[in-house]
Amino acid sequence: MKGTAAHIVRTLLLSLITLFGVSVLIFLMLRVLPGDPARVLAGLNASEDQVARLRDELGLDDSLLSQYWSFISGVVTGDLGTSARTSRPVATEIAVRLPATLILAVVATVIGSIIGVTAGVIAAVRRNSIVDHVISSVAMMGVSMPVYWLGLLLILLFAVTLGWLPAAGSGEPLSIVLPAVTLAAFSTALVSRMTRASMLEVLGQDYVRTAHAKGAPPQTVVVKHALRNAFIPILTVISLQFGALLGGAVLTETVFGWPGIGRLMVDSIGARDFAVVQGLVLVYATFFILLNVIVDVLYVVVDPRIRY
Amino acid sequence: MSTARRRTTRMRSFAAAAAVGILLSACSVSDPEAPASDSGEGGGGTFNIAVGIDPDTFDPAGQTTTTVQNMVDYVVETLVTVDEEGTVSGKLAETFEVSEDGLTVTLGLKEGVQFQDGTPFNAEAVKFNLERIKDPNLTVPLGAPFEVIESVTAVDESTVEIKLLRPSPGFLSALSVTTAAMIAPGSVTAEGNTNDNYQNPVGTGPYTFESYTAGESVTVQKYADYWGEEPHYDTVNFRVVPEAATRESLLLAGQVDMIILPPVSDLEALQNNSDVEVILGESDRSIFIALDTLDPLWSNPVARQALNYAVDKQTIVDSVLFGAAEVMNGPMASSLFGYCETGSYDYDPDRARQLLAEAGAEGASIDLLTPSGRYVQDQQAAEAIAGYLREVGLTVNVTTSDFPSFLSRVNAPHSENTVDAHLLGWAPPYLDADFQMQMFRQANHPPAGLGTAFYTNPQVEELLARADVETDRDTREQLYCDASQVIWDEAPWIFLWTQSFPVVHSADVTGIDTTPTEKFDAIYARPAN
């Protein structure tokens, strides 16, 4: 366990370098994007004077180095700057929307993991049966179905036709059902496929045969002997999916009018609102790094043989 | 092979099931037992509106998009309004008078009006607001028309005198824009507000600002002491739903009472649905293809006329825009003051070929740039137009990009300009030809402005310069008409259409309309029965 703690500290220290790299990259990427933020912000009808004034106000005429310095020195002191589009602090803009995205990603991951692992285990145990084929083809559909299309179909069925669920927004407790299910479709499918493959590998191992031979009940063999040993790659997929859901919920958030940071990102890129995009990317990067650390720890929990 | 075939069959049956699902839902009616608005006797209840844009600022001075202005308009009011004929009428200013020389505007304010914070609306408040939108330290995107203000004087409690630097015939109309709406002077320093970051507007309007949930909704509450006619609903809730198909679903599911901008491909189905009513509002947004008139090939008006004849605009409106537009017959929308009908370029590919040959432009190659998703069916329309241009022997290459990149390309000086033609939309914030005509003046060539066709003509410049200071209404209208005729004949654009502004509402409510500045007018919405 001591080794693990040291590993975590080391990872976190290294991640500072990663975050620095991320900050430089996103800063430069935004600056090479075509489109003048001042012109976009001032609007089509603005005069050249107004645009020039705004450029000055936003510091866009300063050297890249001094722009980066004012960005990064702010970040270090916990100040992410001010949104050019809304005049509100970037930290506030992100903070008011982050919970919505987190809740959505967590619920979708829980749904995806429970259904995905269960389906994958069943498919592996009943290999080549009808059940396996059905699960595999549904999973195939889940992986290939565009989120947009699935989301709109679910809205048509459950909100318009049946009238059971809200079509959009986050105002009611039931509001989360449709976006979470939509978002979970892809990860459920992915997790089930990974679980099936990983289980098949483990189910062919000698110790599983031994467990069967010594007369352990089939469920025990499957869950305790096989699944636990098959779980490392599954855990990896789930955690990667969770990370992807945090960043990739843009379409789902758009279709369902869910007030998360994915939409904030799209709106901000569209408005060339540099400060907000930079802030969001740093938040994403931080989440990914933390997620990796947590998964590293979970590896040890799932498989005590792992040492750092 | 057999697996592949099985998979295909499976996919096909799923597709069939999905199609049935879509059909079923298309036939279904909204649940009559779950109306979104619960209205009691003599008012009350909540009116729900789904819009597509998350508001950036609630500061009237900071407004850019009409959707956000629309929400702010529930809370703040302007001094005057402009009707569909371009006639100015009073609102917070009961009377308005322009001096003979056009340099002094005198406003007589409505008396007894109070801001929602209890402070009086008076001449000092007007002075404060007009000086605020002229403040160079404040970002006022639509502030250009107010730069002409020299000084504002509060003559007495209810009389304001505005001195102008030069005569500005469009000035009164400009006062109808949300930018020039009246906020309570004390509110810029009140709870949660600063002058630069004004998030809780306080005005004189029929509703008070209640709350904004980022990315989710804006709520306003009825203001009990409103000076004018009392609206029906106690609460109005604007829901931010970026996806058009989702807005449509919310309405069909009875979860909102009204939406703006449904998917245009569904307009016909909505029009045939007796549970909802479709308003195809007239808009002042003209859509056109700006041609690079400094390009040697397209500097010849004959070549540009050829392009106008080559495109079947009506067919594109009918089949690509699903009828949500009207073909232009002048260089501006008919809702603008100064509009007159100047002619039509009826679809005539033979004539187009002949004119192209005459201008030596046959077989020419055109790079056509279009935004995507900014205007109704913009990219699709550009593709259709390219198809027509190819039919008359031109080589057309259509490209698209996100709007900021698009803007940086078309707003560049001519020496850096790399596009021959681009699709653009232009909607004057107030209904006067002045703003539209900027597009045809040298002073407005990029990067100074968005006169992206780089068009100029001495006669047009002269007519417009006269219109700038002409105080006689009829003479001014004629000047614009004359300039329009020259512009139309010289065709710096492929004149396309003026876009419609579709609003759909439940058949259970009434009293909803639109204005040509792409706003809805639903403050006095009420139950149909």
Side-chain angles (χ1 to χ4, degrees):
Chain A
M1 231 28 217
K2 200 187 243 171
T4 309
H7 170 77
I8 290 172
V9 171
R10 204 165 49 237
T11 312
L12 288 177
L13 284 177
L14 280 173
S15 67
L16 287 179
I17 301 175
T18 313
L19 281 177
F20 172 72
V22 166
S23 74
V24 173
L25 263 183
I26 185 62
F27 178 85
L28 290 177
M29 281 164 80
L30 284 173
R31 265 74 188 173
V32 298
L33 265 188
D36 176 0
R39 169 51 80 178
V40 176
L41 185 61
L44 295 191
N45 302 327
S47 71
E48 187 72 348
D49 282 355
Q50 287 174 302
V51 175
R53 208 155 55 217
L54 207 52
R55 284 188 64 82
D56 183 53
E57 211 173 285
L58 296 173
L60 293 167
D61 291 326
D62 301 348
S63 73
L64 277 187
L65 210 59
S66 94
Q67 286 186 53
Y68 181 76
W69 176 249
S70 75
F71 159 49
I72 204 70
S73 56
V75 170
V76 171
T77 57
D79 177 11
L80 292 175
T82 306
S83 162
R85 192 170 62 95
T86 67
S87 304
R88 288 186 282 261
V90 173
T92 312
E93 292 284 3
I94 296 178
V96 296
R97 292 173 173 86
L98 190 59
T101 296
L102 280 178
I103 290 169
L104 187 58
V106 167
V107 173
T109 303
V110 169
I111 295 175
S113 307
I114 294 175
I115 302 181
V117 169
T118 312
V121 167
I122 293 171
V125 173
R126 298 277 168 85
R127 176 153 54 134
N128 290 333
S129 70
I130 292 284
V131 181
D132 180 20
H133 289 313
V134 169
I135 289 175
S136 296
S137 43
V138 171
M140 182 62 110
M141 237 144 48
V143 173
S144 34
M145 193 145 37
V147 165
Y148 237 81
W149 189 65
L150 175 64
L152 289 176
L153 279 187
L154 290 177
I155 290 175
L156 282 179
L157 182 60
F158 290 101
V160 180
T161 308
L162 299 172
W164 291 349
L165 295 168
S170 67
E172 301 159 51
L174 282 177
S175 297
I176 198 168
V177 176
L178 290 181
V181 168
T182 305
L183 199 55
F186 184 81
S187 48
T188 307
L190 207 63
V191 169
S192 81
R193 282 160 65 94
M194 180 49 87
T195 305
R196 180 179 181 274
S198 187
M199 281 294 284
L200 284 179
E201 207 172 290
V202 172
L203 286 173
Q205 301 279 330
D206 288 346
Y207 66 83
V208 173
R209 202 179 48 212
T210 309
H212 278 298
K214 75 172 185 191
Q219 298 96 315
T220 313
V221 177
V222 169
V223 175
K224 279 190 82 176
H225 295 85
L227 182 59
R228 183 138 189 211
N229 281 292
F231 210 69
I232 290 289
I234 299 171
L235 186 60
T236 310
V237 167
I238 291 176
S239 64
L240 282 178
Q241 265 306 302
F242 181 72
L245 291 188
L246 280 181
V250 176
L251 289 181
T252 310
E253 287 180 4
T254 304
V255 171
F256 291 99
W258 188 262
I261 53 175
R263 264 169 61 205
L264 179 64
M265 182 68 120
V266 171
D267 284 353
S268 303
I269 293 174
R272 296 290 186 270
D273 194 342
F274 289 172
V276 176
V277 178
Q278 286 167 179
L280 277 171
V281 168
L282 283 185
V283 168
Y284 279 135
T286 310
F287 265 106
F288 258 89
I289 288 165
L290 290 179
L291 193 62
N292 277 322
V293 172
I294 293 170
V295 171
D296 281 350
V297 175
L298 285 180
Y299 282 163
V300 179
V301 175
V302 173
D303 188 346
R305 287 169 304 179
I306 292 179
R307 290 273 177 278
Y308 292 108
Chain B
M1 287 311 277
S2 73
T3 329
R5 199 179 320 127
R6 262 209 310 276
R7 194 171 294 150
T8 323
T9 324
R10 262 185 239 128
M11 288 304 284
R12 208 179 295 142
S13 45
F14 178 79
V20 170
I22 294 171
L23 279 177
L24 277 176
S25 48
C27 300
S28 79
V29 292
S30 64
D31 184 357
E33 289 157 318
S37 49
D38 44 307
S39 45
E41 289 293 308
T46 301
F47 190 67
N48 287 290
I49 302 173
V51 299
I53 292 176
D54 196 13
D56 43 8
T57 174
F58 295 105
D59 187 343
Q63 293 306 308
T64 50
T65 46
T66 50
T67 303
V68 184
Q69 290 177 32
N70 237 162
M71 303 183 211
V72 175
D73 288 346
Y74 275 69
V75 178
V76 298
E77 294 178 306
T78 49
L79 294 166
V80 299
T81 57
V82 180
D83 70 13
E84 274 149 56
E85 269 76 54
T87 310
V88 177
S89 49
K91 188 133 186 189
L92 286 177
E94 267 180 328
T95 62
F96 41 88
E97 214 172 286
V98 182
S99 65
E100 200 116 311
D101 62 3
L103 290 172
T104 308
V105 178
T106 310
L107 303 175
L109 306 182
K110 187 173 277 294
E111 291 183 47
V113 175
Q114 279 201 340
F115 285 110
Q116 293 151 359
D117 63 1
T119 57
F121 165 75
N122 55 22
E124 282 299 332
V126 174
K127 179 176 160 71
F128 169 85
N129 277 283
L130 293 182
E131 285 175 352
R132 183 169 182 263
I133 54 175
K134 263 193 62 115
D135 180 356
N137 296 318
L138 195 71
T139 303
V140 185
L142 296 176
F146 309 107
E147 280 166 14
V148 70
I149 298 178
E150 188 186 12
S151 65
V152 185
T153 315
V155 178
D156 59 42
E157 187 70 7
S158 62
T159 311
V160 178
E161 201 175 85
I162 306 169
K163 289 270 184 219
L164 303 182
L165 294 167
R166 56 181 181 278
S168 175
F171 181 73
L172 274 180
S173 306
L175 289 177
S176 71
V177 181
T178 305
T179 305
M182 297 290 125
I183 58 171
S187 66
V188 296
T189 49
E191 38 155 321
N193 285 339
T194 62
N195 196 41
D196 296 345
N197 186 7
Y198 186 75
Q199 302 294 353
N200 301 291
V202 178
T204 58
Y207 285 89
T208 57
F209 183 79
E210 173 80 12
S211 65
Y212 163 57
T213 311
E216 168 91 24
S217 62
V218 176
T219 306
V220 295
Q221 295 285 359
K222 198 195 279 185
Y223 171 45
D225 296 326
Y226 180 54
W227 60 271
E229 189 195 338
E230 183 190 352
H232 176 84
Y233 294 102
D234 285 340
T235 308
V236 177
N237 194 20
F238 301 93
R239 301 200 32 198
V240 181
V241 183
E243 168 58 41
T246 309
R247 289 197 294 276
E248 183 186 13
S249 293
L250 277 167
L251 180 69
L252 294 179
Q255 294 172 7
V256 297
D257 305 284
M258 179 189 129
I259 64 169
I260 64 171
L261 304 173
V264 281
S265 51
D266 288 355
L267 277 176
E268 202 184 328
L270 289 167
Q271 276 159 339
N272 292 332
N273 183 340
S274 59
D275 292 323
V276 297
E277 270 169 41
V278 177
I279 304 171
L280 275 186
E282 186 188 10
S283 142
D284 67 342
R285 185 179 299 278
S286 46
I287 307 289
F288 50 87
I289 292 199
L291 301 166
D292 177 5
T293 58
L294 294 182
D295 182 285
L297 205 53
W298 306 113
S299 59
N300 184 348
V302 176
R304 303 194 299 255
Q305 287 164 357
L307 301 183
N308 272 281
Y309 284 116
V311 179
D312 187 350
K313 279 121 352 199
Q314 190 59 54
T315 299
I316 297 177
V317 166
D318 291 342
S319 56
V320 180
L321 278 83
F322 303 94
E326 263 180 56
V327 173
M328 289 172 87
N329 55 11
M332 68 181 87
S334 60
S335 50
L336 299 186
F337 171 82
Y339 156 87
C340 66
E341 189 178 333
T342 50
S344 62
Y345 286 100
D346 294 332
Y347 178 51
D348 189 344
D350 294 332
R351 179 118 190 245
R353 276 192 212 93
Q354 178 200 331
L355 292 175
L356 281 173
E358 201 177 300
E362 54 212 319
S365 153
I366 297 181
D367 277 324
L368 173 60
L369 181 65
T370 173
S372 183
R374 174 108 186 163
Y375 312 112
V376 174
Q377 299 287 85
D378 45 12
Q379 194 185 349
Q380 295 83 345
E383 293 288 357
I385 290 160
Y388 280 109
L389 296 180
R390 287 183 194 117
E391 264 177 40
V392 296
L394 300 168
T395 306
V396 187
N397 177 29
V398 181
T399 50
T400 184
S401 65
D402 75 315
F403 200 69
S405 313
F406 171 91
L407 207 52
S408 74
R409 287 187 67 187
V410 304
N411 196 38
H414 191 261
S415 54
E416 296 164 25
N417 191 26
T418 51
V419 286
D420 303 318
H422 57 272
L423 186 143
L424 188 65
W426 191 246
Y430 56 94
L431 300 173
D432 192 285
D434 176 29
F435 231 96
Q436 182 82 2
M437 285 300 179
Q438 299 300 325
M439 303 301 276
F440 307 110
R441 304 179 81 162
Q442 188 157 23
N444 205 36
H445 285 185
L450 272 178
T452 52
F454 297 96
Y455 173 77
T456 181
N457 171 301
Q459 199 188 344
V460 171
E461 297 283 355
E462 198 237 301
L463 288 166
L464 295 181
R466 278 169 59 198
D468 279 345
V469 292
E470 178 57 62
T471 47
D472 181 71
R473 203 179 139 86
D474 295 340
T475 315
R476 187 162 169 263
E477 192 164 22
Q478 190 56 46
L479 288 168
Y480 282 127
C481 187
D482 294 346
S484 294
Q485 191 62 54
V486 179
I487 294 164
W488 182 262
D489 293 337
E490 291 217 315
W493 294 347
I494 302 180
F495 300 104
L496 297 176
W497 43 77
T498 50
Q499 207 169 279
S500 298
F501 176 61
V503 168
V504 193
H505 63 83
S506 156
D508 298 338
V509 293
T510 185
I512 296 166
D513 203 352
T514 64
T515 70
T517 45
E518 296 192 341
K519 287 181 178 180
F520 51 84
D521 179 3
I523 286 180
Y524 294 105
R526 58 185 191 279
N529 309 312

